[in-house]
C-alpha cells in the first residue's frame, strides 16, 4: 500500500480536490490518503480562536459565517447529485453549529486546538463524500482514534501502530483509506496536534505503522531542487537523496519538507517520494537509505539567524565552561544551529530570538558577549565525508568573495554550513550553484 499526503493548496478548491481524487484512484492498488485542511481554513479557525480569547463572540461569529458561506459554495461546485450535496450540507451544519457553541462559554486553550482541528475534519469528510459519489470504495478513518502523542508531546509510536493495525483489520478491502493530517490526541485524551511537520509527519507515521511500500508527499513543485528556485535561475530537481541529506536540507531552509517528518520512515526503511500535483508523471525526488558516494546534491539557506559570541580569558582549560553556556540556552528552550569553539571563546547561532535578551544577560556572567543579527546559514549537502578529498575546497572556493562569519564542517558527513549576512545570501547561493553544479 502507498501512503499519499496532500497539503492545503492541493485540496484548496473543489477543482483541485477533483484532481486529487483522480490521482488517488488511478491505480487498482489500495491507497492510504492523508489530507490537510483546505488552504485558508486553518487561518480562519485561528482567527476565530483569537476573537474568542479576546471575549469578542461577535467577531468570531462573523468569521464563522464567512467560512460557512465559502464551504456552502464549495458544495455546489464539488458534487453533482442532490443526495451528496444534502449529505455534505448536513455535515457542515453540524460542524458550524459546533464552532458557534464556543461563542457561548468561557474559552480555553484546549478548545482552541479543537477548533483548529475542524479544518482537517471538514476536508476529509468532503473528500470521502466526493469519492463515494463517483463510485469509489472510500472509507474515512479518524486520526483522533489512532494518532496520539506521549507526555513529552512526541508521537506514541507503539500506540499508533497497535491502534491503526486494529482499525485497518476492521476496515479491510477498501480501495481508498482517508485520514486527517496534523491532528491527534495527546497523552491525556485531549484534541491536539503534531506541531512539527504537520501532515507530512502524519503520513510518515502512518506509513511506518502500516509498513507501506512508499510514502508520497504531494506538493506544487517537482521534488526538492538543488538550490532555491526563488533566488537562483535554472535550478534542477534532485532525483535521489539519502534520508540524512533530506533532513539536513529541510532543517537548513528547504521548505518543501520538515526535518522531523522523515524520521519514522527512515527508521522503518520506507522510501519517501516528493511529487508534483501539477505534473503527476514527473519522477519527483526519492528519499531513501541509499548513499551515492562522492556527489554534492543541493544547497539550502536558513534565514533570520542570530550569531552570539562569548569570549572569556577564563575559558582556557576551564572544565565545565561549555556546559554552563549550553545550559543557559536549554533553560530558555532555545536550540543552537551552529557552534564554533577556540581556546578563548565560543560562537553559536540561533533562529529563535524570543529570549535573546535574557540569554545574553546570563552569558555575560562568563565573558564578553557579542551579538550579530540579520544573518543567514547557507549549507551544502551531499556525500561530504572527509575522505572525499577536495569537496570542502569546492564549497569554500565558491564562497571566496563572501564574508563568512562561521563555518561548520565535520559534525555531519552530509553538510558544510556557512554563516553569512542576509545581504550576501543571494550572491552566495548563485556562486555555489555556479561552482558546484554548472561547471
Amino acid at each position: 500500500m502507498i501512503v499519499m499526503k496532500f497539503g492545503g493548496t492541493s485540496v484548496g478548491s473543489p477543482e483541485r480536490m477533483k484532481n486529487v481524487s483522480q490521482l488517488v484512484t488511478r491505480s487498482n492498488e489500495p491507497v492510504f490518503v492523508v489530507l490537510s485542511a483546505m488552504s485558508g481554513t486553518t487561518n480562519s479557525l485561528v482567527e476565530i480562536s483569537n476573537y474568542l480569547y479576546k471575549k469578542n463572540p461577535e467577531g468570531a461569529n462573523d468569521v464563522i459565517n464567512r467560512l460557512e458561506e465559502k464551504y456552502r459554495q464549495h458544495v455546489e461546485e464539488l458534487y453533482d447529485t442532490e443526495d451528496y450535496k444534502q449529505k455534505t450540507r448536513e455535515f457542515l451544519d453540524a460542524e458550524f453549529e459546533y464552532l458557534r457553541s464556543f461563542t457561548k462559554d468561557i474559552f480555553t486553550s484546549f478548545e482552541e486546538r479543537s477548533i483548529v482541528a475542524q479544518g482537517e475534519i471538514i476536508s476529509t469528510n468532503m473528500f470521502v463524500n466526493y469519492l463515494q459519489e463517483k463510485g469509489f470504495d472510500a472509507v474515512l478513518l479518524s486520526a483522533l482514534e489512532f494518532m496520539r502523542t506521549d507526555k513529552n508531546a512526541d508521537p506514541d509510536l507503539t500506540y499508533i501502530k497497535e491502534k491503526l493495525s486494529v482499525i485497518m483489520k476492521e476496515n479491510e478491502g477498501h480501495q481508498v483509506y482517508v485520514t486527517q493530517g496534523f491532528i491527534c490526541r495527546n497523552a491525556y485524551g485531549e484534541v491536539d496536534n503534531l506541531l512539527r511537520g504537520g501532515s507530512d509527519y502524519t503520513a510518515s507515521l502512518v506509513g511506518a505503522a502500516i509498513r507501506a511500500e512508499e510514502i508520497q508527499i504531494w506538493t506544487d513543485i517537482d521534488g526538492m531542487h538543488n538550490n532555491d528556485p526563488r533566488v537562483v535561475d535554472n535550478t534542477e530537481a534532485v532525483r535521489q537523496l539519502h534520508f540524512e541529506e533530506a533532513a539536513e536540507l529541510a532543517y537548513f531552509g528547504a521548505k518543501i519538507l520538515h526535518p522531523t517528518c522523515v524520521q519514522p520512515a527512515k527508521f522503518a526503511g520506507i522510501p519517501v517520494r516528493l511529487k508534483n500535483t501539477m505534473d503527476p508523471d514527473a519522477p519527483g525526488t526519492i528519499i531513501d537509505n541509499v548513499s551515492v558516494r562522492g556527489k554534492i546534491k543541493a544547497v539550502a539557506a536558513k534565514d533570520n539567524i542570530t550569531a552570539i559570541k562569548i569570549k572569556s580569558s577564563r575559558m582556557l582549560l576551564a572544565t565545565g565552561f561549555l556546559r554552563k553556556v549550553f545550559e543557559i540556552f536549554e533553560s530558555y528552550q532555545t536550540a543552537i544551529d551552529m557552534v564554533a569553539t577556540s581556546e578563548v571563546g565560543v560562537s553559536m547561532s540561533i533562529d529563535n530570538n524570543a529570549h535573546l535578551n535574557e540569554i545574553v544577560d546570563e552569558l555575560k556572567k562568563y565573558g564578553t558577549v557579542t551579538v550579530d543579527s540579520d544573518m543567514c546559514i547557507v549549507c551544502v549537502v551531499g556525500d561530504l565525508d572527509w575522505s572525499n578529498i577536495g569537496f570542502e575546497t569546492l564549497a569554500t572556493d565558491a564562497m571566496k568573495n563572501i564574508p563568512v562569519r562561521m563555518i561548520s564542517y565535520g559534525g555531519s558527513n552530509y553538510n558544510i554550513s556557512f554563516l553569512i549576512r542576509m545581504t550576501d545570501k543571494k550572491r552566495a547561493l548563485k556562486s555555489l550553484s555556479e561552482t558546484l553544479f554548472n561547471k
Side-chain angles (χ1 to χ4, degrees):
M1 185 180 291
I2 290 176
V3 174
M4 305 174 74
K5 175 264 174 179
F6 296 90
T9 56
S10 295
V11 292
S13 68
E15 189 60 36
R16 289 198 168 187
M17 196 171 277
K18 292 177 183 179
N19 292 338
V20 168
S21 74
Q22 294 175 1
L23 292 175
V24 304
T25 58
R26 63 178 182 171
S27 168
N28 292 326
E29 297 296 320
V31 295
F32 198 117
V33 180
V34 177
L35 293 187
S36 299
M38 296 176 75
S39 57
T41 299
T42 299
N43 288 341
S44 295
L45 295 171
V46 170
E47 186 179 6
I48 292 167
S49 299
N50 288 339
Y51 275 119
L52 294 174
Y53 267 127
K54 294 178 173 62
K55 303 187 186 307
N56 183 354
E58 294 82 5
N61 274 315
D62 184 56
V63 180
I64 292 171
N65 291 339
R66 282 188 275 119
L67 189 61
E68 183 177 25
E69 180 59 32
K70 175 183 174 181
Y71 273 105
R72 288 194 172 279
Q73 184 60 40
H74 287 339
V75 169
E76 299 305 315
E77 297 175 19
L78 185 59
Y79 305 102
D80 295 324
T81 64
E82 186 57 35
D83 284 348
Y84 275 91
K85 286 182 180 180
Q86 185 58 30
K87 179 180 179 180
T88 309
R89 288 192 201 107
E90 290 174 359
F91 161 74
L92 291 174
D93 286 344
E95 276 293 303
F96 284 100
E97 184 60 32
Y98 175 69
L99 291 176
R100 290 189 179 93
S101 70
F102 292 102
T103 66
K104 303 167 186 175
D105 300 305
I106 299 173
F107 193 61
T108 68
S109 60
F110 163 64
E111 291 171 328
E112 178 187 16
R113 295 192 291 270
S114 296
I115 287 175
V116 174
Q118 301 314 305
E120 281 77 13
I121 290 173
I122 292 173
S123 67
T124 50
N125 272 272
M126 291 182 69
F127 185 65
V128 168
N129 284 352
Y130 178 76
L131 289 175
Q132 291 176 351
E133 183 188 48
K134 294 303 175 185
F136 296 106
D137 182 11
V139 61
L140 178 61
L141 308 180
S142 173
L144 299 180
E145 293 184 6
F146 63 85
M147 194 62 62
R148 189 174 79 173
T149 56
D150 59 23
K151 292 182 180 180
N152 296 318
D154 293 321
D156 189 334
L157 302 180
T158 301
Y159 178 91
I160 294 169
K161 183 177 181 179
E162 292 177 353
K163 193 70 174 177
L164 188 53
S165 296
V166 172
I167 292 173
M168 292 296 287
K169 184 169 288 188
E170 292 172 349
N171 292 274
E172 282 183 325
H174 294 286
Q175 183 180 358
V176 183
Y177 297 85
V178 181
T179 196
Q180 301 87 16
F182 185 54
I183 67 174
C184 65
R185 291 191 185 275
N186 58 29
Y188 309 99
E190 301 164 337
V191 176
D192 212 324
N193 57 66
L194 294 173
L195 298 176
R196 306 173 300 277
S199 297
D200 291 352
Y201 209 178
T202 301
S204 188
L205 290 163
V206 167
I210 67 173
R211 301 298 302 175
E213 176 187 342
E214 184 175 281
I215 299 164
Q216 297 179 353
I217 308 295
W218 290 77
T219 64
D220 55 0
I221 188 171
D222 182 19
M224 194 173 286
H225 279 228
N226 61 3
N227 209 324
D228 189 341
R230 298 166 300 180
V231 177
V232 179
D233 295 330
N234 302 317
T235 62
E236 296 179 352
V238 181
R239 294 307 176 197
Q240 187 275 337
L241 288 167
H242 188 277
F243 277 115
E244 296 289 349
E245 294 169 337
E248 295 278 9
L249 287 169
Y251 183 78
F252 285 105
K255 301 297 185 184
I256 193 172
L257 197 65
H258 193 279
T260 59
C261 81
V262 298
Q263 294 302 323
K266 173 190 171 184
F267 295 141
I270 299 170
V272 175
R273 191 181 297 273
L274 309 179
K275 297 280 286 179
N276 185 1
T277 53
M278 309 302 175
D279 187 8
D281 293 323
T285 299
I286 188 75
I287 303 169
D288 51 29
N289 279 315
V290 177
S291 293
V292 178
R293 299 293 296 166
K295 185 175 178 62
I296 295 177
K297 299 287 186 67
V299 174
K302 189 175 185 181
D303 298 339
N304 303 313
I305 301 296
T306 299
I308 304 171
K309 180 170 73 174
I310 174 170
K311 183 179 178 182
S312 173
S313 58
R314 297 175 291 162
M315 183 182 177
L316 183 62
L317 301 180
T319 302
F321 179 87
L322 287 176
R323 174 180 57 78
K324 294 174 183 177
V325 168
F326 292 145
E327 281 178 348
I328 292 172
F329 288 88
E330 181 182 2
S331 67
Y332 290 102
Q333 296 184 318
T334 301
I336 297 172
D337 289 319
M338 294 174 63
V339 180
T341 63
S342 72
E343 289 185 341
V344 294
V346 56
S347 291
M348 296 149 291
S349 70
I350 60 174
D351 64 359
N352 177 5
N353 290 340
H355 299 286
L356 178 61
N357 292 335
E358 297 98 315
I359 290 170
V360 170
D361 283 343
E362 293 206 34
L363 288 175
K364 286 179 179 179
K365 299 175 183 176
Y366 305 109
T368 304
V369 180
T370 306
V371 177
D372 294 316
S373 301
D374 299 320
M375 306 294 285
C376 168
I377 295 175
V378 173
C379 75
V380 177
V381 170
D383 177 33
L384 299 169
D385 186 89
W386 65 275
S387 61
N388 292 317
I389 298 172
F391 274 17
E392 73 282 0
T393 305
L394 275 175
T396 53
D397 184 57
M399 301 290 287
K400 64 184 178 183
N401 295 319
I402 309 292
V404 177
R405 170 72 170 74
M406 195 190 319
I407 298 176
S408 176
Y409 177 52
S412 163
N413 289 336
Y414 300 95
N415 175 20
I416 301 175
S417 294
F418 302 89
L419 182 65
I420 63 174
R421 290 190 293 255
M422 280 283 294
T423 52
D424 294 319
K425 170 186 169 180
K426 188 173 182 178
R427 282 198 305 137
L429 292 180
K430 288 186 173 183
S431 180
L432 284 164
S433 265
E434 185 64 31
T435 302
L436 302 178
F437 307 126
N438 296 341
K439 284 188 177 180

